[in-house]
Structures are given as C-alpha cells and as structure tokens.
Amino acid sequence: MNRLTRTVAAALLASALTLVSACSSDSDASDAKGGDGKSLEKVTYLTSFGNFGRDSYAWVAKEKGFFKEAGFDVEIKPGQGTGAVIQTIVGGQADFGPIDLTGGLLQLGNGQAKDFVAVAAIQQRTMAAIVTVEGKNIASPKDLEGKKLADAPASVVRNLFPTYARLAGVDVNKVTWVNGEAQTLMGTLASGSVDGIGQFVVGQPTVEAVTKKKAVLLPYSNVMQDLYGNVLITSSKIAKEKPEMVKRFSAALIKGLEYSLANPQEAAELLKKNVDATNPAAAAAELQLMAGYVRSNNSGTKIGTLDSGRVAKSIAILQGAGSLKQNLTPDQIIDFNLVPQS
C-alpha cells in the first residue's frame, strides 16, 4: 500500500512538473512572438542624436508594446547625428534611424553617402539651430563671427551651417568649429569652453537644466522655412527587399511618436526607465516643444507624410546656396511608395 501511494505521488509530481514546464514554455514562446503569433523579427534602431526627450518615442513604442504588436524585437542604440546614422545603416549595423532630411540631401548631393532612403517624416519643419546662453553676446546670426562652436562632425547642424551662414549673411570663415559628442555638448557649453553648440530647438529645456542659464536660440528655420526636420530612413536594400516590413515598422514608430506627444510626462518617465541619465522634466518639455514641428503647426498634415513639392523646394534652396555638387530629385532620397499616405 505504501509502495502504491509513493508511486501515485511520484506520478502526480511528474505530471505537475510537466504542466509547469509546459506553461513556462508557452509563456516564453508568447514573449518571443508578436501580435499575430509569429516569431519577432530582430531590428536595430538608432536614435537621431544621443538619448534625449526628442527621441523618447522609440522607447515608448518599445515599452508600450507597439513594436511587439507589429512583430519586432527592437534594440535601441544612441545615434551620433545624420552622417553617422546613415553610415551605420548603410553599413548594415542598424536597420532604421532618423536623420535630418536636409542633412541627408547634403550627404547624397555631395557624394558623401548613398544607398539609403527616407520612408516617413518625423518632423514637418527643421529643428536645427545654434544654441548658446545669455552672457555670450550672441543675439543674431552675425554675432557668431569670431565665436567658437561645438558639434559632432556628422551633425546636420554643423554640415548645414555653411548654407545657413550664406543665407543669414554670416562669414563662415570667421566661425570656428570644434568636435563634440551628443551626450557631452551641453556640458561643453556649460563649462564655458565654447560659445555655442549645434542643437535642435527642442533642446532648450535640457540646455537650461545643464547650464543653469537662459538659452539663446538661432533656429535655422528662420532663414530656411521650407526644410523638413527628421525623417526615418532605412537602407535601399531593406526598402527594396522588405517593403511591407518597413511599413509595419514605420507605423509602430509613428504610433509611439503620437503617444509621446499626447503623454509627454509618461514618455519622459519611460525614457528615464531605460536611460538613467534622463532629466524627466526636461525630456517632457522637449516633447512639448517638438509637437508643433511634428504636426506642422496643426495644419492638418498627417504625421509621417512627406510632400514631393516641398522636398523639391528644399533641394532648390540648397542648390541656390551652392551647397550641392550634383542635381537631385525628391525620389532619389525618398521612397514615396513606403511613406504614409495623407
């Protein structure tokens, strides 16, 4: 009888362990699958420039499950500006990332990069700017002459500066640039070793938080009003071979962007969860400032769309300023078959 009891107990224990194991396996399998039950596709995404509030929408798309629902397991890495993001994606070390469209046009039109395409807009207007602080005697573009500025070599702000300078009446040869990195630029400005930095206008709250001084901005959009801001890019190879995958990823990312603009404080906290150095208040303020650029001043333009006519105007501005070595057309840099439809 005791032997029978032990046998039954052992059988029940084995069954229980099998059930637990099966449940665990089912849970693990579920974690590795998207909303349609298929295995998640691994994707590497680069931010535009470091890990600031303006890029938090990618973390939101991941944390809220938008990427997973679309079938993706996304690794997010900090980017180092337009040129570096293009090189990394074209080189196959990343799949997607945002760049400033004007910076992309400069790279493509001057033979510095190729084999990439834009597939969605992030901002309808450029946010590129020179940022300084009170006490530097900089109130207008002309005041930049004789000053020292810092930025990453591949940053669109730095690469677009000669065009901005020509249009704003600044002698570009009287402005000194030194190299900096995304995460340390604001500290460089705070230390007083430079007079200004390349930055996006939405960086104002973070600049003020770091420097403890009031920021002074010189937005490029004041002299170049038709330029788009950031756009999502991928390699020409991925766009050609996996068009439906590109559309799914774009839609999930834009969903994260829309959620972030509607919930800036939550988005900032999700960024803080993943990037410990985040200042949540500054990150949320960046998103609030960015909203007008993403929605194009509430003009009714659908988020993510790109207009061929506006891109052609951007090209004309750069050509008129002598900033492009070769002629370009909008469809050389944008795959309009993959861009969200208005």
Side-chain angles (χ1 to χ4, degrees):
M1 194 70 179
N2 288 338
R3 183 182 302 170
L4 177 60
T5 300
R6 289 196 298 270
T7 301
V8 171
L12 289 173
L13 177 59
S15 297
L17 290 174
T18 300
L19 181 60
V20 169
S21 176
C23 289
S24 176
S25 297
D26 288 345
S27 176
D28 291 344
S30 176
D31 288 342
K33 293 181 179 180
D36 58 1
K38 295 181 180 179
S39 296
L40 297 177
E41 183 171 0
K42 292 187 178 298
V43 166
T44 299
Y45 173 89
L46 297 178
T47 66
S48 63
F49 197 66
N51 280 312
F52 299 103
R54 72 204 71 160
D55 273 301
S56 61
Y57 55 90
W59 293 107
V60 169
K62 182 171 183 175
E63 289 288 336
K64 300 299 290 187
F66 302 153
F67 283 144
K68 185 176 180 181
E69 290 170 4
F72 299 107
D73 176 10
V74 180
E75 180 182 10
I76 302 172
K77 296 182 177 181
Q80 287 292 331
T82 292
V85 170
I86 292 173
Q87 291 176 5
T88 306
I89 289 174
V90 171
Q93 289 82 46
D95 304 291
F96 295 94
I99 66 164
D100 186 279
L101 179 58
T102 307
L105 288 169
L106 291 171
Q107 292 270 317
L108 186 63
N110 292 319
Q112 297 169 319
K114 61 179 181 177
D115 299 328
F116 68 95
V117 290
V119 296
I122 303 299
Q123 295 122 17
Q124 294 291 320
R125 291 185 296 137
T126 182
M127 300 196 304
I130 301 298
V131 179
T132 182
V133 292
E134 286 187 338
K136 294 291 186 179
N137 297 317
I138 299 175
S140 69
K142 192 69 174 176
D143 296 331
L144 294 173
E145 293 180 358
K147 301 297 194 297
K148 182 189 293 185
L149 307 177
D151 203 352
S155 166
V156 65
V157 179
R158 185 166 176 176
N159 286 295
L160 187 54
F161 183 76
T163 303
Y164 169 76
R166 290 190 194 97
L167 296 174
V170 177
D171 186 343
V172 69
N173 295 314
K174 294 182 179 179
V175 181
T176 301
W177 284 92
V178 296
N179 294 337
E181 295 183 354
Q183 300 298 130
T184 60
L185 278 177
M186 295 182 190
T188 302
L189 180 61
S191 72
S193 58
V194 297
D195 301 299
I197 58 174
Q199 188 59 242
F200 282 171
V201 293
V202 295
Q204 178 180 349
T206 308
V207 168
E208 292 179 342
V210 172
T211 64
K212 311 301 181 185
K213 295 180 180 180
K214 184 174 178 58
V216 177
L217 281 72
L218 299 177
Y220 283 12
S221 60
N222 286 353
V223 296
M224 297 180 285
Q225 298 177 359
D226 286 314
L227 304 184
Y228 277 97
N230 279 357
V231 294
L232 178 67
I233 69 163
T234 188
S235 67
S236 299
K237 184 176 186 293
I238 290 177
K240 180 180 180 180
E241 296 178 356
K242 301 179 178 181
E244 294 307 315
M245 182 271 271
V246 172
K247 290 180 181 179
R248 283 189 291 113
F249 184 87
S250 296
L253 184 69
I254 289 173
K255 189 174 180 179
L257 176 61
E258 291 177 313
Y259 189 95
S260 299
L261 297 180
N263 305 277
Q265 193 59 54
E266 182 183 354
E269 293 298 337
L270 290 176
L271 179 62
K272 173 67 175 178
K273 175 183 175 181
N274 290 278
V275 182
D276 190 59
T278 299
N279 178 324
E286 283 199 10
L287 284 169
Q288 291 170 329
L289 286 173
M290 192 172 82
Y293 289 82
V294 172
R295 298 194 178 102
S296 193
N297 291 329
N298 298 315
S299 65
T301 301
K302 182 180 177 181
I303 293 179
T305 59
L306 287 160
D307 179 75
S308 179
R310 276 194 61 198
V311 178
K313 287 182 180 179
S314 298
I315 293 172
I317 289 173
L318 297 176
Q319 289 175 330
S323 299
L324 295 179
K325 294 180 181 178
Q326 53 187 278
N327 293 329
L328 293 177
T329 59
D331 57 6
Q332 285 179 269
I333 194 168
I334 298 168
D335 191 329
F336 287 100
N337 292 320
L338 299 180
V339 171
Q341 301 302 302
S342 58

